[in-house]
Amino acid sequence: MTFPRYAPDLVPGTVTLVGGGPGDPGLLTLAGFEAVRQADVILYDRLAPTAVLDEAPEAEKIRVGKVPGGEYVPQERINELLVAHARAGERVVRLKGGDSFVFGRGGEEWQACAAAGVPVRIIPGVTSSVAGPELAGIPLTHRHMVQGFTVVSGHVAPGDSRSELDWGQLARCGTTLVILMGVAHIQQISADLMAGGLAADTPVAVIRQASLPDQSVLTSTLAEVADAMARSGVRPPAITVVGDVAGLDLDHTEAADRTPSDH
């Protein structure tokens, strides 16, 4: 059987936004892999599968990552670099972790390129919001338990003037809650979710370094997860899953012990 090919040759003077998946190079799509190999210039994030950069030995590699409390390249500068290299006639790849349109600012980069007259192509990526829990054995939906999941960013604390989320409403939405970039504010997030009606013993799982060799999972409850994360020294990147599915033990087909643990 012959399958259609999603990744034709890259065109000089264009930008291709490539979602790199959760981190393991094996989870980069074939189309994304081929785009990297053809690139003249690659702008990449720290969470992108950087091992694949070796597949483009002649390409110029520009690190434009954002490290919490450290290295930071403003989004405006990233936009400028994309446009400048494309206008120079180069085949530009923007390689990100996860998917470009799930908290990846891919929409902003597309807009900047479009405003400058630079054509853009999208190659979707495996989003870490789904892949991370899945690799930890956590189904975000499960028949007779939960009928949906909600993905939010926790990089802004509840109550902050920049926050656009109503954590009380999220507590009552009845779906699995997946929180990205929420490590720094997990204490306040947990408090707001409990104030909104979620039970203190609601299972919580925190997946660290999803898909990478040092991946680990911390399991706890909503009332205790902040202290458990502090004791374990959890640092970003980490994905927090809140809901009954976070307490599943698929190997034994029963709800896992809700006592906080680190395994």
Side-chain angles (χ1 to χ4, degrees):
M1 182 175 181
T2 301
F3 292 92
R5 194 159 163 265
Y6 183 77
D9 292 341
L10 299 191
V11 177
T14 66
V15 169
T16 303
L17 305 180
V18 176
D24 187 312
L27 296 176
L28 174 66
T29 66
L30 290 174
F33 180 78
E34 187 167 336
V36 168
R37 293 183 64 185
Q38 295 179 25
D40 299 311
V41 179
I42 303 171
L43 282 72
Y44 66 97
D45 286 350
R46 69 185 182 94
L47 299 181
T50 54
V52 302
L53 297 177
D54 293 339
E55 297 295 325
E58 303 300 322
E60 179 181 358
K61 287 96 172 178
I62 305 173
R63 183 183 173 102
V64 292
K66 300 175 178 66
V67 179
E71 173 188 352
Y72 180 83
V73 179
Q75 186 61 53
E76 293 75 16
R77 178 56 181 159
I78 296 173
N79 296 346
E80 291 171 358
L81 288 168
L82 292 172
V83 170
H85 283 284
R87 282 179 166 173
E90 295 173 307
R91 297 170 295 180
V92 183
V93 162
R94 175 73 168 101
L95 180 63
K96 304 168 179 287
D99 180 84
S100 299
F101 283 4
V102 182
F103 301 117
R105 300 191 179 182
E108 295 178 42
E109 292 169 356
W110 186 329
Q111 286 180 311
C113 289
V118 173
V120 175
R121 180 190 179 94
I122 295 291
I123 296 180
V126 177
T127 173
S128 60
S129 60
V130 173
E134 191 168 335
L135 292 167
I138 300 170
L140 296 183
T141 62
H142 197 67
R143 195 157 59 103
H144 306 314
M145 286 184 69
V146 62
Q147 298 179 5
F149 62 93
T150 304
V151 181
V152 298
S153 169
H155 78 287
V156 175
D160 189 294
S161 60
R162 298 168 295 167
S163 177
E164 300 172 352
L165 296 175
D166 184 331
W167 291 95
Q169 289 279 18
L170 290 171
R172 296 186 290 274
C173 70
T175 65
T176 302
L177 186 60
V178 182
I179 305 168
L180 305 182
M181 301 176 282
V183 172
H185 304 299
I186 191 62
Q187 181 82 57
Q188 192 169 352
I189 288 172
S190 299
D192 276 33
L193 289 173
M194 286 186 287
L198 271 183
D201 64 349
T202 299
V204 178
V206 182
I207 303 102
R208 295 169 283 188
Q209 302 291 342
S211 84
L212 300 178
D214 55 346
Q215 173 180 305
S216 63
V217 184
L218 179 149
T219 57
S220 185
T221 63
L222 193 57
E224 300 180 359
V225 67
D227 289 340
M229 290 171 67
R231 287 194 302 271
S232 297
V234 174
R235 295 282 184 270
I239 301 163
T240 303
V241 181
V242 180
D244 287 342
V245 292
L248 284 176
D249 181 350
L250 295 181
D251 285 334
H252 298 92
T253 65
E254 62 184 6
D257 183 357
R258 292 186 178 186
T259 302
S261 64
D262 192 8
H263 63 277

